[in-house]
Amino acid sequence: MVRTAAACELNIAGVTAFSTVDWPDMMTATVFLQGCPWNCFYCHNPALIDPRAEGAVTWADVTDLLCERMGLLDGVVFSGGEPTLQHALVPAMQMVRTLGFRVGLHTAGAYPGLLARALPYVDWVGLDIKAAPDDYATVTGRAPSGGHAWRSLELVLGNRLLRAGSDHPLDYEVRTTVHPAAIDDAGLRELGCRLADAGVDTWAVQRFRETGARQPLPRVSATDAEAAPLRLDDLPVERFRSLVIR
């Protein structure tokens, strides 16, 4: 049985009142939800991993902010942590739409079941695909994580096709953060080809940045931590409608 929840149950770590970087070409408020089931070694928001940590913001604070920003913001992005960890995500999205805002979602696809329930209320998804399915544990520290993420990719691409040409299309971006401890240039090219074969046409490759990350990086040897950055000069650019490097 699917557990029901109310938007007021969201465990919210923080809110950015204005953002131009969390949803391409959109002005948003971004709501950061507490908790993530994975422990990615390069996580730049490790304080948001613990699902038991008490939130700093209430849902009432968020709705008050949105009521003040009507006409100024295009939408609301739910980020994390991992937003699909929380069952209150769906009613919160419903409320945001009722207030007249579009809905964006940042997710790593850890919970495809809840993602499937959320997608009808979402206008844009930023989906992290961290590696090929069998290589996920190197990044997340969790053995079954790859299957969940790639199932979530199927859901996003399937919903996009189903809603194409409707008055409620689904836009998306697949993002991959790269670190030499997890992947090399040849592996990254192979991953890009696999994404393209799956139907992905919008891919963002993001270089690891130390800002906010733990030091030393968990599960990363000193040799790997000091390895030269990836060159990113052999990406399968021709396979994508949009491929950006950040």
Side-chain angles (χ1 to χ4, degrees), residues 132-166:
D134 292 341
D135 298 329
Y136 251 70
T138 300
V139 177
T140 67
R142 305 289 185 265
S145 51
H148 295 176
W150 282 77
R151 173 56 182 151
S152 292
L153 175 62
E154 293 176 358
L155 289 170
V156 170
L157 296 177
N159 272 262
R160 181 183 183 234
L161 287 174
L162 287 172
R163 288 159 54 177
S166 73

Side-chain angles (χ1 to χ4, degrees), residues 15 21 36 39 47 50 59 72 134 146 178 181 186 191 195 220 240:
V15 177
V21 299
C36 182
N39 184 21
D50 184 358
W59 180 243
L72 301 176
D134 292 341
V178 294
L191 175 62
L195 290 171
V220 174
F240 295 90

Side-chain angles (χ1 to χ4, degrees), residues 9-229:
E9 296 179 48
L10 276 182
N11 188 6
I12 305 171
V15 177
T16 299
F18 287 100
S19 173
T20 59
V21 299
D22 291 314
W23 183 344
D25 303 318
M26 300 286 279
M27 175 69 79
T28 71
T30 303
V31 182
F32 295 92
L33 302 188
Q34 182 72 39
C36 182
W38 297 345
N39 184 21
C40 298
F41 71 80
Y42 53 54
C43 179
H44 69 277
N45 244 338
L48 300 189
I49 293 176
D50 184 358
R52 298 162 298 182
E54 185 174 352
V57 178
T58 68
W59 180 243
D61 294 330
V62 174
T63 55
D64 286 348
L65 171 69
L66 296 181
C67 288
E68 295 172 358
R69 299 296 192 270
M70 287 181 178
L72 301 176
L73 297 175
D74 300 306
V76 176
V77 173
F78 291 91
S79 189
E82 173 49 57
T84 62
L85 174 69
Q86 301 195 34
H87 288 268
L89 175 67
V90 172
M93 288 179 167
Q94 292 172 319
M95 186 174 296
V96 165
R97 296 195 70 84
T98 298
L99 292 173
F101 297 97
R102 300 177 73 189
V103 175
L105 174 66
H106 292 173
T107 179
Y111 295 97
L114 200 145
L115 177 63
R117 292 171 49 214
L119 282 174
Y121 307 102
V122 175
D123 298 285
W124 175 84
V125 182
L127 175 65
D128 293 337
I129 294 294
K130 302 174 184 295
D134 292 341
D135 298 329
Y136 251 70
T138 300
V139 177
T140 67
R142 305 289 185 265
S145 51
H148 295 176
W150 282 77
R151 173 56 182 151
S152 292
L153 175 62
E154 293 176 358
L155 289 170
V156 170
L157 296 177
N159 272 262
R160 181 183 183 234
L161 287 174
L162 287 172
R163 288 159 54 177
S166 73
D167 60 359
H168 181 36
L170 178 65
D171 201 3
Y172 78 98
E173 177 183 84
V174 170
R175 298 95 62 89
T176 302
T177 298
V178 294
H179 187 286
I183 199 166
D184 58 17
D185 281 292
L188 187 59
R189 178 177 178 83
E190 182 178 344
L191 175 62
C193 290
R194 184 165 185 165
L195 290 171
D197 289 343
V200 174
D201 65 2
T202 303
W203 188 29
V205 176
Q206 305 177 151
R207 294 183 184 273
F208 164 75
R209 291 178 173 82
E210 293 184 355
T211 304
R214 290 164 286 187
Q215 295 296 334
L217 297 177
R219 307 187 308 279
V220 174
S221 69
T223 300
D224 285 337
E226 296 173 0

